[in-house]
Amino acid sequence: MLKKISIRVRLTVLSILTLIVCCVGLTIILNISANRMADVIEATPIIPALEINKESTAQTPPPISMIPLSPSKESQIARTNFLYQSILYMLLVVATGGGITYFVSGKALVPLRELSNQMKNRTIHNLSEDLPVPVSNDEIADLTGSFNQMSNKLDEAFAMQKRFSQSAAHELRTPLTVLKTKVDVFNKKKEHTADEYDKLLSVITTHTDRLAELVMDLLDLTNMDALDCNEQIELKALLSDITQELAPLAWEKNIVVTVEGTEKDVPGNKSLLHRAFYNLIENAINYNTEYGEVHIRVEDASGQGLVTISDTGIGIPTELQELIFEPFFRVDKSRSRQMGGAGLGLATVKTIIEKHNGSVTVSTNEVGGSCFTIQI
Ligand code: ADP
């Protein structure tokens, strides 16, 4: 129930409760000490008699003691009046304190209410516009700053989601359009030769394979959560194996691939890491020039595995280096498509490396090629 009450009322109730506890304590203490004082005032002093037969000058006077008397009627009335008055003042203090708290908290919460109204007016269309941060260096300014940061991130996420849906739709539409056109043309003729059947089947197979691959890649991007990442993996051995697998592709383009550095074991999922490094090395060969080179290096960076894959290829423009990890993003669309890539390779690499609590970045190396740095 308390959750449904506004902060203003909650603050008032809390301050009233605090005031009640303090005032009741104070009233009790005041009444006890007032009663004690009245008892002392009303007590009769008793002075013991001096013995006459002794030399009175040499004697020290005996201590005076007080005899408590039962309170008189007037005293009882005064005590009761004091009790009632102190209770009345206590109630007055509590009521005034509660009222002041209600008023002051209402004033203090005005900026919060204004901020809440501004937040309510945020929609998907104005998420990138920052709310004005108050000049006061207080919690409201902090909250506004955090809200601005969050809505900027949301705006980025929405933009990315939009790009993703557009690209996915485009990628899926292309093979479907080809298939539909081919089938329509085929249907226009009544009779077909065996060669025409073969050609149609070959087109259907190529494009359905492409569609299946695309759908599998998309599913893989989102289905990695359940996989175990606790195997011990020798990075250098894994990279050497992948280089062997890709040797025919490298030979085709006369590209030399080298693996150097130290042995480094990292915990992870072998098949996922194999896939990530396979994609990176395959790209380093694909986007390379004839007689180019790919240098792979493994290092131990303060306990973490550090892998660099550097090539002598075409490189990636600096302004696009962040974007290439987005699904379906390709620098040169026609060239990548020729190589059969849908632009999901690096997005998969990023997802896999992040699943291993690592990071992947790209930069341009000294010969203008790309250098991917992976930290796990
Ligand atoms: P694709 O399937 O098209 O290769 P990726 O996600 O693997 O998709 O790569 C995205 C884009 O990044 C590629 O289309 C290419 O333009 C660029 N790219 C990736 N790796 C390299 C590289 N080593 N050198 C130059 N460009 C690269």
Side-chain angles (χ1 to χ4, degrees):
M1 197 195 101
L2 202 64
K3 280 185 191 156
K4 287 185 188 160
I5 300 172
S6 69
I7 293 186
R8 190 182 187 183
V9 176
R10 267 194 256 176
L11 275 177
T12 311
V13 170
L14 277 177
S15 74
I16 287 177
L17 286 176
T18 317
L19 275 172
I20 288 176
V21 171
C22 296
C23 289
V24 165
L26 202 65
T27 310
I28 291 170
I29 292 167
L30 269 180
N31 275 277
I32 290 172
S33 44
N35 276 333
R36 279 207 188 132
M37 217 134 70
D39 285 346
V40 172
I41 292 166
E42 281 172 358
T44 310
I46 304 281
I47 306 162
L50 290 174
E51 284 180 48
I52 323 162
N53 54 350
K54 289 198 181 154
E55 286 173 28
S56 58
T57 47
Q59 282 182 35
T60 49
I64 300 168
S65 55
M66 311 290 274
I67 295 186
L69 295 176
S70 58
S72 66
K73 204 174 166 200
E74 288 77 18
S75 157
Q76 257 173 358
I77 293 172
R79 286 170 199 238
T80 320
N81 280 347
F82 184 80
L83 176 69
Y84 287 149
Q85 275 172 15
S86 56
I87 291 174
L88 184 74
Y89 288 131
M90 179 194 85
L91 292 177
L92 264 174
V93 169
V94 170
T96 317
I100 291 173
T101 314
Y102 188 74
F103 177 74
V104 171
S105 56
K107 288 261 170 223
L109 291 171
V110 168
L112 198 61
R113 257 196 305 276
E114 279 170 6
L115 182 63
S116 154
N117 287 338
Q118 285 173 328
M119 284 179 183
K120 278 181 199 152
N121 290 333
R122 294 279 105 171
T123 63
I124 192 167
H125 306 294
N126 60 2
L127 269 179
S128 58
E129 292 164 27
D130 279 352
L131 292 181
V133 181
V135 275
S136 57
N137 199 11
D138 59 5
E139 287 83 354
I140 304 284
D142 252 14
L143 189 64
T144 316
S146 309
F147 178 80
N148 283 341
Q149 271 180 15
M150 191 198 70
S151 53
N152 283 335
K153 280 187 195 154
L154 264 179
D155 188 51
E156 251 170 56
F158 279 131
M160 212 164 120
Q161 203 183 30
K162 198 171 162 191
R163 282 199 297 271
F164 177 83
S165 326
Q166 280 171 349
S167 312
H170 179 78
E171 285 303 320
L172 292 169
R173 195 184 57 189
T174 312
L176 284 174
T177 313
V178 176
L179 282 177
K180 188 169 169 6
T181 318
K182 293 278 175 195
V183 174
D184 284 350
V185 171
F186 188 83
N187 278 341
K188 278 199 178 131
K189 266 177 85 179
K190 290 255 162 55
E191 284 175 17
H192 303 280
T193 61
D195 192 38
E196 281 171 335
Y197 274 109
D198 284 348
K199 272 190 185 152
L200 181 71
L201 268 179
S202 147
V203 170
I204 290 176
T205 315
T206 312
H207 287 91
T208 44
D209 280 354
R210 187 173 162 76
L211 278 172
E213 202 182 311
L214 201 66
V215 172
M216 287 309 290
D217 284 351
L218 276 174
L219 277 176
D220 285 349
L221 256 185
T222 49
N223 275 352
M224 285 178 200
D225 288 346
L227 294 168
D228 177 40
C229 284
N230 288 320
E231 294 168 61
Q232 277 303 312
I233 293 146
E234 285 185 356
L235 279 179
K236 203 175 164 194
L238 176 71
L239 290 161
S240 302
D241 287 350
I242 297 171
T243 309
Q244 287 299 314
E245 286 170 43
L246 284 166
L249 184 69
W251 286 333
E252 237 177 68
K253 294 182 82 176
N254 292 309
I255 289 169
V256 179
V257 184
T258 56
V259 182
E260 302 166 342
T262 49
E263 252 320 336
K264 174 73 191 147
D265 280 12
V266 289
N269 181 295
K270 194 165 184 186
S271 70
L272 286 185
L273 285 181
H274 179 279
R275 205 149 121 217
F277 288 120
Y278 188 98
N279 279 347
L280 288 168
I281 301 170
E282 192 186 25
N283 277 349
I285 298 170
N286 274 337
Y287 298 103
N288 215 318
T289 47
E290 186 103 13
Y291 298 102
E293 287 167 26
V294 177
H295 298 287
I296 304 164
R297 195 173 172 77
V298 186
E299 278 170 55
D300 185 331
S302 325
Q304 286 198 310
L306 182 76
V307 180
T308 47
I309 300 171
S310 186
D311 62 55
T312 54
I314 52 173
I316 300 162
T318 322
E319 66 278 12
L320 301 179
Q321 287 178 354
E322 281 273 306
L323 293 172
I324 56 163
F325 294 100
E326 276 191 24
F328 300 112
F329 188 86
R330 287 172 302 206
V331 177
D332 178 348
K333 307 237 182 283
S334 54
R335 182 181 168 138
S336 313
R337 205 186 281 276
Q338 273 168 24
M339 291 170 191
L344 286 173
L346 289 180
T348 312
V349 170
K350 191 167 187 254
T351 312
I352 292 174
I353 301 298
E354 282 177 355
K355 189 174 162 50
H356 286 79
N357 297 325
S359 65
V360 52
T361 52
V362 64
S363 57
T364 306
N365 58 24
E366 55 285 355
V367 291
S370 309
C371 178
F372 284 84
T373 307
I374 303 98
Q375 198 148 9
I376 303 180

